Amino acid sequence: MERRTFLLTAAATGTTAATSLAGPAEASGRTPGLALPVPPQSAALGVSARDWPKAGGNYGNQNHSALSAVTPKNIAKLGGAWHLNLEGGSTAQYQQCTIVVQHGVLYVETTQQNVFAVDGRTGEVIWKTSLGTETTNMRGVAVAGGLVFSISGANIVYALDQRTGAVVWQKPLIVEDNGGDDGCDDNSGQCGGNSGGLAGAVVHFDGLIYIGTEGSTAGARGRGYALDAKSGDVAWTFWGPPGPGEYGHDTWEGDSWKTGGAVPWIHPAVDPELGLVYWTFGNPYPRTDGSSRGGDNLFANSIVAIDAKTGARRWHFQSVHHDIWDADNVMAPVLADLLIEGRRRKVVVYGSKTCHFYILDRRTGEAIHGMEERDVPQQAEQKTSPTQPFPGGEPFTDPFPRLDKPTRPVPFYPAGGLYSVFWDRATIIFPGAGGGGDWGFPSFSPKTGYVYIGYGLVNSSYSNTHGGRVNTARPLGELFGGGLVAMDPRTNTVAWRKEGDWSLAHGNGILTTAGRVLFQGRPDGVLEAMDDTDGSTLWTWQCGAGVNTIPVSYEIDGEQYVAVLAGGNGLPFPDIPKGDHLWAFKLGGKLPPATAPTPPSRRNQIRTTAVTGEAAHNTVTLGRIWDTRTGAPGTAENTVAQTAMAPQNLTVPTGTTVTFVNPADNQQAHGAAAFFDAEFDTGLLMPGQSYAHTFTKTGEYFYNDPVFPQSTGKIVVQ
């Protein structure tokens, strides 16, 4: 069968019509115009100017600086003020920390569990404190009351003396599950499974610090903590999956709530006037198999407005019911005051792997632009929800694969868009685990009225994972891309977009400034400055490692600085260059850029050890896994693994003839077809059949099995 026909026929088993996959080329966007007027923002949210008080800038996570010295007219003069390798130049770990600045001192932490205070003028380390050796994602400290608050990989919360870095108090927050009569720990409320870990930047408000958790992919029961900032005592705990007697408990089948995931792994926003904390909770567990957890599964995929002092739920909105797509929607929510149809509205902007912003009244949770529960495709074994909520306005990028985008599906998989269903057959879906806005950090600029967000064009492929089936969160050989979009929150529509080579949704935060310059980092190590009106590039700087954090701005003696931690990340590109580069920039800075690292591949690479053609006898055996012990294909047929091409990664010189063999003792037909080019196609080979192809051009050729498309190989011709 011709490959495109096979693909689109298979897609019919999902939900998206072929015309959606091959939809018309996207317009470049509306004529740029500003979303003005913008009313004065609530003073209680705070302003980031001389200082950058917290991750997100202010309580509303606006990631906006009121400083205006750096402008489009003078940014060409922006240069390195100082540079510091926090971990001695190590490239062993990636870094996800947002810098916090107070009184000219930068507070930053590394995955290696070190917390630093750094002089913002010179880059000199004032103090350094180690929190242990058990690494975890460290996304930012809180600074208040003379203390610096941090989580740690050992699941201990620390309060450090702001002047010296000495430990003032420490609180072990996640302990081993002791078990109770009902299988739950009497003290912690944990209910078996994985206890999870601490996660997210720490947020301080009015004497309490807010700490999130991670571990939904392992069956942790998610919860958000509020701790007394003076003592570390737990003031309250809000559970992602509610327990017996709690609101939402009846949305979980049986005991599935005990290991239900729904972790809040990104920092919340706070409205001091309303006394509310806005926390976002991630996907349920099991992640792509809903068969054991019937119901809507609150508070997974939800934003919950929580009383800041008591931990009581005031309201919630669930963006995805009974999620089977890893659609966390944990992006740090943004609070803004808008003028909509002449009326001042206090909103929270919530999103989104689903490619939608959900813009809600932050007092009540009411959808500002309306919300429609629409019928969606059903899959009985998955116990899917009959409807899903769609907000008024439009998505910030198309929520379905397109043949003219990096979301072009790898051939032969069933494929579909948002809320397409699947069961035992690996199915490509966009958006998926790494698509849409994922956990990029948006910015709201009162100067333009826009909300800016980076997004990823990254497909996923899901199955129920039963019987050894693979959950190919990023299908091998697929393309990666992404972009930046400016949304008008008054209408929830796209103002403009800037699409490019890189996914910008994995910690690639956005800084806007009153000087009308927008900053965002990229996985290739480049920090880019753009005009906030239309996204045109004004300035770039090579930082030496991927920039997957939020740039910040601060001021010392009337001089504006921009700073960023460049340390890379592990997703969605596994080969993002890692490092420990802390940079500060100012007008007239003299330091030169770093040497450019090797950029990540724009395809999802096969990373198994390459086998030479000589060692493999210039033969690829289909439906078998390469046995590294014997240096030969395995003896058993495999139809569920990604690696069932033996060898999966073959290197040959030009002019080599490679033979593809379906062994006679296999039970299934197999094949090998190159994508996204037409270098070779074996057609379907029955057991005992073979096909030979001579490679005359150097290159990298990905191919997969038309019958079992997750089985993917690569031939490198040198």
Side-chain angles (χ1 to χ4, degrees):
M1 181 180 290
E2 196 272 326
R3 283 183 287 168
R4 175 179 165 83
T5 303
F6 188 103
L7 169 65
L8 297 182
T9 301
T13 65
T15 66
T16 304
T19 53
S20 295
L21 289 176
E26 186 175 71
S28 61
R30 295 169 176 79
T31 301
L34 304 183
L36 302 175
V38 174
Q41 299 299 290
S42 299
L45 294 179
V47 175
S48 303
R50 186 185 69 171
D51 294 336
W52 192 265
K54 62 177 288 293
N58 65 356
Y59 285 125
N61 289 331
Q62 292 182 346
N63 286 309
H64 178 79
S65 172
L67 299 179
S68 59
V70 178
T71 70
K73 292 183 178 180
N74 63 21
I75 194 169
K77 299 177 182 178
L78 195 69
W82 53 262
H83 167 264
L84 175 65
N85 289 114
L86 290 170
E87 296 291 346
S90 171
T91 58
Q93 301 288 345
Y94 54 75
Q95 310 295 339
Q96 298 183 351
C97 178
T98 296
I99 302 160
V100 172
V101 186
Q102 191 174 100
H103 305 313
V105 177
L106 279 59
Y107 299 91
V108 61
E109 56 189 357
T110 62
T111 305
Q112 289 92 330
Q113 302 298 286
N114 291 311
V115 183
F116 298 81
V118 179
D119 187 300
R121 187 198 307 273
T122 66
E124 178 187 356
V125 175
I126 299 170
W127 55 256
K128 170 186 172 182
T129 299
S130 173
L131 303 183
T133 59
E134 190 170 343
T135 60
T136 192
N137 296 321
M138 306 285 273
R139 297 194 173 106
V141 302
V143 180
L147 298 175
V148 177
F149 303 95
S150 176
I151 65 168
S152 70
N155 295 322
I156 299 171
V157 180
Y158 286 89
L160 309 178
D161 185 287
Q162 185 176 350
R163 294 176 295 105
T164 67
V167 176
V168 175
W169 58 254
Q170 55 184 293
K171 173 72 173 181
L173 203 54
I174 295 180
V175 297
E176 291 298 321
D177 186 353
N178 298 319
D181 293 339
D182 60 355
C184 297
D185 186 282
D186 295 331
N187 296 316
S188 71
Q190 295 162 202
C191 296
N194 185 295
S195 59
L198 301 181
V202 183
V203 172
H204 176 278
F205 169 64
D206 196 21
L208 295 177
I209 57 172
Y210 301 96
I211 308 284
T213 54
E214 62 186 5
S216 65
T217 58
R221 185 186 175 208
R223 64 279 210 191
Y225 295 101
L227 274 61
D228 186 294
K230 293 182 179 179
S231 65
D233 294 337
V234 176
W236 52 258
T237 304
F238 189 93
W239 291 94
E246 296 178 327
Y247 183 95
H249 178 69
D250 59 353
T251 65
W252 294 85
E253 177 184 359
D255 286 341
S256 60
W257 61 277
K258 292 183 177 181
T259 55
V263 296
W265 54 277
I266 295 293
H267 60 273
V270 181
D271 187 329
E273 292 176 328
L274 298 177
L276 295 178
V277 173
Y278 302 88
W279 225 328
T280 55
F281 291 78
N283 57 274
Y285 177 85
R287 184 169 61 157
T288 61
D289 181 1
S291 63
S292 64
R293 52 172 171 84
D296 281 352
N297 304 147
L298 291 175
F299 292 99
N301 309 86
S302 298
I303 182 170
V304 186
I306 303 170
D307 187 292
K309 289 299 184 184
T310 68
R313 180 191 67 91
R314 292 280 189 88
W315 59 260
H316 76 276
F317 168 73
Q318 188 178 50
S319 56
V320 181
H321 311 316
H322 189 80
D323 177 24
I324 59 171
W325 304 276
D326 190 18
D328 304 44
N329 289 353
V330 293
M331 183 188 297
V334 175
L335 309 186
D337 294 354
L338 306 175
L339 282 177
I340 300 177
E341 297 180 349
R343 179 183 173 192
R344 181 172 179 146
R345 303 298 301 266
K346 294 179 177 292
V347 308
V348 53
V349 181
Y350 166 52
S352 175
K353 282 188 185 179
T354 64
C355 304
H356 292 275
F357 273 148
Y358 306 87
I359 301 179
L360 311 172
D361 186 298
R362 62 180 190 257
R363 291 188 180 92
T364 65
E366 170 198 358
I368 297 295
H369 303 297
M371 195 73 62
E372 179 184 1
E373 287 282 344
R374 298 180 189 170
D375 293 340
V376 292
Q378 296 298 291
Q379 214 290 331
E381 289 87 349
Q382 289 277 28
K383 300 181 180 178
T384 44
S385 171
T387 65
Q388 295 289 352
F390 287 78
E394 63 183 359
F396 51 77
T397 191
D398 289 330
F400 49 80
R402 285 178 48 161
L403 294 177
D404 60 339
K405 297 277 188 177
T407 53
R408 176 184 182 182
V410 171
F412 307 117
Y413 284 85
L418 184 63
Y419 305 128
S420 293
V421 293
F422 57 89
W423 183 236
D424 56 0
R425 186 175 181 186
T427 301
I428 285 180
I429 292 173
F430 180 82
D438 205 349
W439 60 281
F441 296 103
S443 176
F444 171 72
S445 172
K447 294 296 183 180
T448 65
Y450 292 148
V451 176
Y452 303 88
I453 180 63
Y455 61 90
L457 297 174
V458 181
N459 289 340
S460 293
S461 175
Y462 294 139
S463 75
N464 58 28
T465 70
H466 295 182
R469 291 182 176 86
V470 292
N471 186 350
T472 55
R474 290 161 188 87
L476 293 174
E478 75 170 357
L479 303 173
F480 293 144
L484 169 70
V485 65
M487 293 290 287
D488 185 338
R490 302 171 306 172
T491 56
N492 203 16
T493 55
V494 174
W496 54 261
R497 75 172 64 255
K498 181 179 183 177
E499 211 151 89
D501 293 342
W502 306 113
S503 172
L504 298 175
H506 292 76
N508 310 93
I510 297 166
L511 166 68
T512 58
T513 68
R516 306 301 303 278
V517 178
L518 178 156
F519 295 87
Q520 185 180 33
R522 305 192 318 223
D524 62 346
V526 171
L527 178 65
E528 183 176 8
M530 292 163 270
D531 189 303
D532 64 6
T533 301
D534 58 11
S536 57
T537 300
L538 302 171
W539 173 91
T540 60
W541 190 271
Q542 176 54 248
C543 295
V547 184
N548 292 80
T549 58
I550 311 171
V552 307
S553 192
Y554 61 95
E555 185 180 77
I556 298 177
D557 294 338
E559 193 167 34
Q560 182 179 356
Y561 291 77
V562 174
V564 73
L565 175 61
N569 198 3
L571 294 172
F573 309 90
D575 52 351
I576 296 174
K578 300 177 178 64
D580 62 345
H581 301 270
L582 182 62
W583 281 96
F585 309 95
K586 67 177 183 177
L587 296 175
K590 302 301 184 183
L591 283 184
T595 300
T598 301
S601 173
R602 292 191 55 240
R603 295 187 78 167
N604 191 21
Q605 283 292 332
I606 289 172
R607 302 181 188 280
T608 53
T609 302
V611 176
T612 65
E614 181 181 10
H617 306 292
N618 293 329
T619 299
V620 174
T621 303
L622 307 178
R624 301 293 176 93
I625 297 174
W626 186 259
D627 189 330
T628 56
R629 296 169 302 172
T630 63
T635 58
E637 184 177 20
N638 187 300
T639 61
V640 296
Q642 288 182 277
T643 54
M645 301 286 189
Q648 188 185 28
N649 187 357
L650 181 68
T651 302
V652 299
T654 55
T656 301
T657 298
V658 174
T659 301
F660 299 85
V661 175
N662 186 2
D665 55 345
N666 274 355
Q667 301 299 306
Q668 303 288 335
H670 292 276
F675 66 91
F676 297 107
D677 52 57
E679 176 64 22
F680 64 89
D681 188 342
T682 69
L684 291 181
L685 301 176
M686 302 306 292
Q689 292 183 326
S690 64
Y691 175 92
H693 177 76
T694 301
F695 290 89
T696 60
K697 297 181 295 183
T698 59
E700 180 181 65
Y701 300 97
F702 287 86
Y703 63 95
N704 66 341
D705 187 331
V707 184
F708 306 101
Q710 76 281 352
S711 180
T712 307
K714 181 177 74 170
I715 296 176
V716 177
V717 181
Q718 299 174 332

Short mmCIF file of all heavy atoms in Angstrom, two decimals, residues 54-55 59 61 140-142 201-205 208-211 267-270:
data_model
loop_
_atom_site.label_atom_id
_atom_site.label_comp_id
_atom_site.label_asym_id
_atom_site.label_seq_id
_atom_site.Cartn_x
_atom_site.Cartn_y
_atom_site.Cartn_z
N LYS A 54 10.94 37.18 42.85
CA LYS A 54 10.58 35.77 42.92
C LYS A 54 10.57 35.16 41.52
O LYS A 54 10.61 35.91 40.52
CB LYS A 54 9.20 35.57 43.56
CG LYS A 54 8.06 36.23 42.78
CD LYS A 54 6.69 35.95 43.40
CE LYS A 54 6.24 34.54 43.21
NZ LYS A 54 5.94 34.22 41.78
N ALA A 55 10.53 33.85 41.44
CA ALA A 55 10.32 33.20 40.15
C ALA A 55 8.98 33.67 39.59
O ALA A 55 7.96 33.61 40.27
CB ALA A 55 10.32 31.68 40.32
N TYR A 59 3.95 38.42 42.17
CA TYR A 59 2.98 37.40 42.60
C TYR A 59 2.11 36.90 41.45
O TYR A 59 1.62 35.77 41.49
CB TYR A 59 2.08 37.97 43.70
CG TYR A 59 2.75 38.08 45.05
CD1 TYR A 59 2.77 39.29 45.74
CD2 TYR A 59 3.34 36.97 45.65
CE1 TYR A 59 3.38 39.40 46.98
CE2 TYR A 59 3.94 37.07 46.89
CZ TYR A 59 3.96 38.28 47.56
OH TYR A 59 4.55 38.38 48.79
N ASN A 61 3.13 36.24 38.41
CA ASN A 61 3.93 35.51 37.42
C ASN A 61 3.93 36.22 36.06
O ASN A 61 3.93 35.58 35.01
CB ASN A 61 3.42 34.07 37.24
CG ASN A 61 3.71 33.19 38.43
OD1 ASN A 61 4.69 33.39 39.14
ND2 ASN A 61 2.86 32.20 38.65
N GLY A 140 14.11 27.31 41.54
CA GLY A 140 14.19 28.66 42.07
C GLY A 140 13.89 28.74 43.55
O GLY A 140 13.05 28.00 44.08
N VAL A 141 14.58 29.67 44.22
CA VAL A 141 14.40 29.89 45.65
C VAL A 141 13.36 30.97 45.88
O VAL A 141 12.94 31.68 44.97
CB VAL A 141 15.72 30.29 46.31
CG1 VAL A 141 16.79 29.23 46.08
CG2 VAL A 141 16.20 31.66 45.80
N ALA A 142 12.95 31.10 47.14
CA ALA A 142 12.20 32.27 47.61
C ALA A 142 13.08 33.01 48.61
O ALA A 142 13.84 32.38 49.35
CB ALA A 142 10.88 31.87 48.25
N ALA A 201 9.65 26.01 41.83
CA ALA A 201 10.25 27.12 42.56
C ALA A 201 9.44 27.38 43.83
O ALA A 201 8.22 27.21 43.87
CB ALA A 201 10.25 28.38 41.69
N VAL A 202 10.13 27.78 44.88
CA VAL A 202 9.47 28.10 46.14
C VAL A 202 8.86 29.50 46.04
O VAL A 202 9.47 30.42 45.48
CB VAL A 202 10.46 28.04 47.31
CG1 VAL A 202 9.75 28.30 48.64
CG2 VAL A 202 11.17 26.68 47.34
N VAL A 203 7.65 29.65 46.58
CA VAL A 203 6.96 30.95 46.60
C VAL A 203 6.68 31.32 48.06
O VAL A 203 6.18 30.49 48.83
CB VAL A 203 5.65 30.89 45.79
CG1 VAL A 203 4.84 32.18 45.97
CG2 VAL A 203 5.95 30.66 44.32
N HIS A 204 6.98 32.56 48.42
CA HIS A 204 6.69 33.07 49.76
C HIS A 204 5.59 34.11 49.68
O HIS A 204 5.60 34.98 48.81
CB HIS A 204 7.93 33.71 50.38
CG HIS A 204 7.69 34.34 51.72
ND1 HIS A 204 7.15 35.61 51.88
CD2 HIS A 204 7.90 33.86 52.98
CE1 HIS A 204 7.04 35.89 53.16
NE2 HIS A 204 7.49 34.85 53.85
N PHE A 205 4.64 34.02 50.62
CA PHE A 205 3.60 35.05 50.75
C PHE A 205 3.11 35.09 52.19
O PHE A 205 2.65 34.08 52.73
CB PHE A 205 2.43 34.78 49.80
CG PHE A 205 1.22 35.64 50.08
CD1 PHE A 205 1.28 37.02 49.93
CD2 PHE A 205 0.04 35.08 50.52
CE1 PHE A 205 0.18 37.82 50.21
CE2 PHE A 205 -1.07 35.87 50.80
CZ PHE A 205 -1.00 37.24 50.65
N LEU A 208 4.07 32.43 54.81
CA LEU A 208 4.02 31.03 54.40
C LEU A 208 4.86 30.83 53.15
O LEU A 208 5.00 31.76 52.33
CB LEU A 208 2.58 30.58 54.12
CG LEU A 208 1.59 30.56 55.29
CD1 LEU A 208 0.21 30.16 54.80
CD2 LEU A 208 2.06 29.62 56.40
N ILE A 209 5.42 29.64 53.00
CA ILE A 209 6.06 29.28 51.74
C ILE A 209 5.30 28.11 51.13
O ILE A 209 4.79 27.24 51.84
CB ILE A 209 7.56 28.93 51.91
CG1 ILE A 209 7.76 27.80 52.91
CG2 ILE A 209 8.34 30.16 52.29
CD1 ILE A 209 9.20 27.29 52.96
N TYR A 210 5.21 28.11 49.80
CA TYR A 210 4.43 27.13 49.07
C TYR A 210 5.38 26.23 48.28
O TYR A 210 6.22 26.72 47.51
CB TYR A 210 3.42 27.83 48.16
CG TYR A 210 2.48 28.71 48.95
CD1 TYR A 210 2.74 30.08 49.10
CD2 TYR A 210 1.38 28.18 49.60
CE1 TYR A 210 1.90 30.89 49.85
CE2 TYR A 210 0.53 28.97 50.37
CZ TYR A 210 0.80 30.33 50.49
OH TYR A 210 -0.02 31.13 51.24
N ILE A 211 5.21 24.91 48.48
CA ILE A 211 6.11 23.90 47.94
C ILE A 211 5.29 22.88 47.16
O ILE A 211 4.31 22.33 47.69
CB ILE A 211 6.88 23.17 49.07
CG1 ILE A 211 7.56 24.16 50.00
CG2 ILE A 211 7.84 22.15 48.47
CD1 ILE A 211 8.80 24.80 49.47
N HIS A 267 5.48 26.35 40.04
CA HIS A 267 5.10 27.26 41.12
C HIS A 267 3.76 27.96 40.85
O HIS A 267 3.39 28.21 39.71
CB HIS A 267 6.19 28.32 41.34
CG HIS A 267 6.49 29.17 40.15
ND1 HIS A 267 7.39 28.82 39.18
CD2 HIS A 267 6.00 30.38 39.77
CE1 HIS A 267 7.45 29.76 38.27
NE2 HIS A 267 6.62 30.72 38.59
N PRO A 268 3.03 28.29 41.90
CA PRO A 268 1.72 28.94 41.77
C PRO A 268 1.84 30.45 41.64
O PRO A 268 2.92 31.03 41.76
CB PRO A 268 1.02 28.57 43.09
CG PRO A 268 2.16 28.52 44.08
CD PRO A 268 3.34 27.96 43.31
N ALA A 269 0.70 31.08 41.38
CA ALA A 269 0.54 32.53 41.46
C ALA A 269 -0.24 32.86 42.73
O ALA A 269 -0.94 31.99 43.29
CB ALA A 269 -0.18 33.07 40.23
N VAL A 270 -0.16 34.11 43.17
CA VAL A 270 -0.85 34.54 44.39
C VAL A 270 -1.54 35.87 44.13
O VAL A 270 -0.92 36.78 43.55
CB VAL A 270 0.13 34.70 45.58
CG1 VAL A 270 -0.62 35.13 46.83
CG2 VAL A 270 0.91 33.41 45.83
#
